Amino acid sequence: MAGETVITVVGNLVDDPELRFTPSGAAVANFRIASTPRTFDKQSNEWKDGDALFLSCSVWRQAAENVAESLQKGMRVVVQGRLKSRQYETREGEKRTVFEIEVEEVGPSLKYATAKVTRAARSAGGGGYSNQGGNQGGGYGNQGGGAPAADPWASSGPSAPAGGGQGGAPAGDPWGAPGVSDEPPF
């Protein structure tokens, strides 16, 4: 990504993602997000919304399918990708420039919501995670989807100690080893 503008934007989906397929069969999902800055006005003692920034986004392949299944209009998302500008001419002959994000990563924001992540079944050259929609109590819910039998993420909770594990942690788990604190190692 040398020389490219990498950007991370937090905003709300303006519409449901639109999933399409190229003639060769590659999936692409297009969506728009609105990012609105908020500032606190000390004189009126209230929050004020600034001008919204609307950005078009595109995501490809398995991630596109996951986005289409998982995200819907109104959800707050975090989008990371490459900012691109594109120029075109309108029918009236006016030259326009638009900015778009070629999405590398996208997911729900957990600032005001919760999400349950389900690992998506791998397809050729793909893989990843999917939050399968469903809005419950203002958060992002999960409507199911099973995990493959050998999926290490599929465990439903702590298991019985094995080997040197502690408190239900699997053997070899550095977080469950005796003498290790709950603080991250970095």
Side-chain angles (χ1 to χ4, degrees):
M1 284 198 245
E4 296 178 335
T5 304
V6 177
I7 185 171
T8 302
V9 179
V10 178
N12 291 31
L13 286 176
V14 175
D15 297 307
D16 288 338
E18 177 187 341
L19 181 64
R20 295 181 295 118
F21 292 88
T22 65
S24 64
V28 60
N30 295 307
F31 57 94
R32 290 186 334 129
I33 61 171
S35 180
T36 308
R38 298 192 88 199
T39 55
F40 188 74
D41 184 353
K42 291 181 181 178
Q43 291 183 350
S44 66
N45 204 30
E46 58 186 37
W47 289 94
K48 303 272 185 185
D49 287 339
D51 293 333
L53 171 66
F54 292 89
L55 287 168
S56 295
C57 303
S58 61
V59 61
W60 289 82
R61 296 174 190 71
Q62 183 64 47
E65 294 182 43
N66 294 346
V67 163
E69 281 184 37
S70 306
L71 303 177
Q72 50 194 257
K73 178 180 179 177
M75 287 184 168
R76 186 173 177 86
V77 294
V78 180
V79 174
Q80 183 267 326
R82 294 175 296 281
L83 185 65
K84 300 285 185 174
S85 67
R86 183 171 53 88
Q87 296 178 344
Y88 67 96
E89 195 170 308
T90 65
R91 293 180 185 156
E92 293 80 29
E94 299 172 330
K95 292 187 178 190
R96 299 266 171 97
T97 302
V98 293
F99 293 94
E100 303 168 328
I101 299 177
E102 289 180 5
V103 176
E104 202 57 41
E105 297 283 343
V106 59
S109 168
L110 301 180
K111 188 172 185 178
Y112 304 114
T114 61
K116 298 229 184 294
V117 178
T118 303
R119 187 172 181 120
R122 283 196 152 196
S123 62
Y129 300 91
S130 169
N131 172 8
Q132 300 190 357
N135 199 355
Q136 36 181 245
Y140 307 127
N142 181 355
Q143 294 181 338
D151 186 354
W153 299 99
S155 66
S156 60
S159 59
Q166 173 187 16
D173 181 2
W175 300 102
V180 175
S181 74
D182 286 346
E183 293 298 315
F186 45 92

